[in-house]
Structure formats: structure tokens, C-alpha cells
Amino acid sequence: MKSKIECTFLLTSFLAFMAGCQNSSPSTADRQHADQADSAKYLSQPLVRNMYTADPSAHVFDGRIYVYPSHDVDAGTPQNAEGDHFAMRDYHVFSMDSVNGKVTDHGVALTVEDVPWAERQLWAPDAAYKNGTYYLYFPAKGRDGIFRIGVASSKTPSGPFKAESKPIEGSYSIDPAVFTDDDGSSYMYFGGLSGGQLQRWKDGKYDAKAPDADPEDKNAPALAPKIARMSTDMLRFDGPVQDVQIIDKEGKAILASDHDRRFFEAAWLHKYDGKYYFTYSTGDTHFLAYATGDSPTGPFTYQGTFMNPVKGWTSHHSIVESKGKWYLFYHDTQLSGKTWLRNMKVTELKHKADGSIQLIEPMEK
Ligand code: FUB
């Protein structure tokens, strides 16, 4: 019997094949799709319309909001469970004065050709600042088809960024998110199931024959996202890669079979009112979920869903404070209707007085 993921991929692979072309900006057909779509039913509208953008990681640097998204393209690669149809080859950086302000595209900040060790698939990036330098963290597949995480640096938040010659030693899988705490310590959270290959890593070794995503024993604990402390120069891991523990309110691990609550991909960390909020996507159930803890390294106690499914398969986000309000940057497929051609969006995120996050409905019901 095929899993829901496989069925989704099979169903859409035919559509992907039919739609295959080399364009990286919305085609006439896509624009027509957007025109026909009832944009009123979406909570927010795309921040950028002349290209496809996804996985937006937002930060405030020098009082301005900078967004580091994936740059989705239609490379004509047939859809498969490895996620090869997410065939991105460069990054653009965007910025704005405030959430409703004009969005500036700063152009190409890094291309796959600029990264000596990478061959393809520049997936969800993140950025950080320390000691006068901006760092761009990004996953990419090497020539061996294995995802690693790289780092590139720049003296300006908009780049261009210069990549290190090798991936970060000890890194693997996808979706890096770097959080710097008030004491100056920085941590990278990372990992993603299925095409993100997290399930293939055990004790620092890669096993290409591992299950598709979750462990086969459904009573086993869910696979954990990873955390590593960053070195002071922000270019290396300063210590071992460890599990991020996500537990329920009874202190038990969330199970692999609990697809509504288990971690799938897209980790993020923000600190609010002294608490650490670890947020993530549940993947095949398409929720954005959160868990809270008293330390950046966890454990984190699962609290609930804070965003219901968007249009499109993937759900990926970041959370940032700007001018006294908190915002959720996310994406959906409003402009294209295609899983792998997404558009980034933003909406306000509200923490309630009890510390919970108000549920966000991305679509009118
Ligand atoms: O953009 C490629 C992948 O899709 C990301 O790395 C995942 O988080 C999902 O959004």
C-alpha cells in the first residue's frame, strides 16, 4: 500500500511532467491561474509576484526586515519522493522597512555554482549576524546526492555571500535555522524527513536504505530534529549534534505514528517572555506546531498547532519581532497551484497572555 506522501507525489508527478519548462518566473498560464483564484479567500497576499519564493526566514537587521527565502524554479524535473522537483539554484535576499512596506529585491545573493561542494537543490536557508558579519546557512546536495549544510558570509545583510569551500563538518539533512540567545550563544536547529534525508542518518552514518520517512515501528519515538551549538566564528559546530527532544505534557516522547504532532521539517526558534518556542512543520499533515521550553536546547513540551494547512503540500515558516509586533512569514501556492512553485507571505502572530499562540487560519473556511 502506498503512503499518502507517495500518492501525493505520484498524482502530481504527471502534472509536473506536463508542466515542465525552464522558466523561473511565473508563466502566463500561472498568472491566469492567479487571476482566476479568488485571492479574497487567502489570509495574506504574496510578497513577491515576479518570481517564486518559499521557506522565508525573516530577521531584523539594523531596524530593517530582511527575508531569506528559497527561490523556487520550474526545472522540469519529474516529481519524486526525493524532492528532486524542488530544483532551486540560487538565492535572492529581500528587505522591507516594515511589514506593509515596499519589498526590495536585492538580487542574487548566492548561486549553486558559487558553492564548491554543492551540485543542486539549494533548499530552505537561514541567516544570522555576529561581530560585523552576516552568515547565510543553506542546505544543498553534493555530487553524492547527500544533503549537507553550508555557510557563506558577507559584510552586508543583502549579500552577495561568499561560500566556504566545504559544508559544515558534521552537518546533514536540511532546513537550518540559527538562533542567537541573549547571552550571545548561537545554535543551529536542522533536519527534515523524507526528501530531507533525516531518517537516513544514525550515529553520524548515512544509510540510503532507511525507511522513506518515519521509523517502521509506529510505537517508536518520532525522529528528533537536531541541534548543534555554533562556534564563535559561526562557521562550525562547536560540539556534538544532539537531538531536540519534543515531549507531551506527561513528559513522554511524541510517537512516530503521531503525524499530527511529530516533527517533520522546517524548525525555527524564537524567544518570547523568557520562554523558548520551538516551531516546526508536521509535513504530511501540513500543520505548523509549537513546543515550549526553558532552554534553547530543550526539552520542548508540545503545545499545539498554531497554523492550519496552507494551500500546497509544504508548510515552512519563520517568526520575527518588528516594531513591537510579532510576525509569521510563511508560504503557499496561491500564484501557481503547484507544490514546488511557492510564494512567500506574512501575517501577524499573536502570543496570548497565557503564553499560547493564537491559531492562524491561512484560508477562509
Ligand atoms: O523548499 C524545499 C523544502 O520544502 C524545504 O527545505 C522544506 O522545509 C519544504 O518547505
Side-chain angles (χ1 to χ4, degrees):
M1 181 133 120
K2 302 222 173 289
S3 68
K4 187 176 167 192
I5 298 178
E6 284 174 304
C7 291
T8 310
F9 280 130
L10 285 174
L11 173 67
T12 46
S13 63
F14 173 72
L15 296 173
F17 177 75
M18 296 298 287
C21 67
Q22 295 296 325
N23 293 339
S24 59
S25 54
S27 66
T28 306
D30 291 340
R31 270 192 233 111
Q32 279 166 358
H33 179 280
D35 291 344
Q36 285 156 10
D38 177 12
S39 59
K41 66 187 180 197
Y42 292 90
L43 173 66
S44 308
Q45 294 303 309
L47 285 170
V48 174
R49 287 177 175 266
N50 66 328
M51 61 190 279
Y52 293 113
T53 53
D55 311 319
S57 290
H59 292 272
V60 173
F61 293 133
D62 279 337
R64 192 168 171 83
I65 301 171
Y66 286 85
V67 191
Y68 301 83
S70 302
H71 176 192
D72 283 358
V73 290
D74 200 342
T77 313
Q79 196 157 345
N80 62 23
E82 296 289 323
D84 287 337
H85 47 300
F86 292 94
M88 302 82 111
R89 299 196 64 81
D90 64 20
Y91 294 113
H92 283 230
V93 177
F94 298 85
S95 74
M96 57 199 93
D97 267 340
S98 59
V99 154
N100 293 314
K102 177 178 171 281
V103 178
T104 301
D105 177 358
H106 295 277
V108 175
L110 185 75
T111 74
V112 72
E113 287 80 18
D114 299 331
V115 184
W117 59 270
E119 185 184 54
R120 62 196 159 105
Q121 292 177 277
L122 293 182
W123 281 17
D126 190 22
Y129 169 81
K130 195 165 272 180
N131 299 332
T133 303
Y134 296 87
Y135 299 91
L136 182 71
Y137 299 95
F138 58 92
K141 277 184 188 160
R143 286 164 200 90
D144 54 5
I146 298 177
F147 269 117
R148 309 268 179 189
I149 296 170
V151 55
S153 51
S154 170
K155 286 293 170 196
T156 65
S158 54
F161 290 84
K162 174 140 181 44
E164 296 294 304
S165 59
K166 291 187 176 153
I168 295 174
E169 197 179 334
S171 72
Y172 51 88
S173 194
I174 59 166
D175 290 358
V178 174
F179 167 77
T180 299
D181 208 350
D182 302 329
D183 68 357
S185 309
S186 299
Y187 305 86
M188 181 186 289
Y189 305 82
F190 63 94
L193 298 181
S194 193
Q197 304 178 341
L198 182 62
Q199 72 283 1
R200 294 184 183 159
W201 285 94
K202 202 170 171 214
D203 302 328
K205 292 207 178 71
Y206 183 80
D207 173 10
K209 296 197 189 81
D212 273 357
D214 300 286
E216 272 153 12
D217 175 2
K218 297 302 174 204
N219 293 317
L223 290 176
K226 305 297 171 196
I227 182 172
R229 197 187 169 99
M230 299 304 294
S231 58
T232 43
D233 66 6
M234 298 295 273
L235 299 175
R236 291 173 291 107
F237 290 162
D238 185 18
V241 171
Q242 291 182 310
D243 285 355
V244 175
Q245 273 187 55
I246 304 173
I247 52 177
D248 65 16
K249 287 183 181 160
E250 280 78 52
K252 295 194 194 113
I254 303 283
L255 297 183
S257 54
D258 189 349
H259 289 208
D260 282 353
R261 299 195 299 170
R262 65 96 168 80
F263 171 84
F264 190 96
E265 62 187 5
W268 190 259
L269 201 284
H270 77 280
K271 190 175 185 180
Y272 174 79
D273 205 12
K275 273 214 170 315
Y276 298 86
Y277 288 69
F278 180 79
T279 49
Y280 58 96
S281 166
T282 62
D284 52 356
T285 47
H286 318 289
F287 297 118
L288 289 181
Y290 71 111
T292 56
D294 296 323
S295 149
T297 54
F300 297 98
T301 305
Y302 178 86
Q303 302 293 343
T305 291
F306 70 94
M307 190 184 223
N308 273 332
V310 295
K311 185 159 181 278
W313 199 96
T314 64
S315 201
H316 190 119
H317 74 294
S318 62
I319 294 170
V320 71
E321 187 182 17
S322 167
K323 302 189 199 300
K325 286 187 172 183
W326 287 85
Y327 294 96
L328 175 76
F329 283 76
Y330 65 106
H331 67 228
D332 64 20
T333 58
Q334 180 182 340
L335 290 180
S336 76
K338 292 172 187 155
T339 311
W340 64 99
L341 297 177
R342 300 159 292 178
N343 43 257
M344 61 178 175
K345 297 186 163 184
V346 60
T347 191
E348 193 175 345
L349 176 136
K350 291 184 178 143
H351 299 90
K352 296 198 219 167
D354 64 1
S356 62
I357 302 180
Q358 191 169 305
L359 179 67
I360 298 170
E361 286 290 355
M363 306 282 293
E364 201 177 83
K365 285 214 160 180

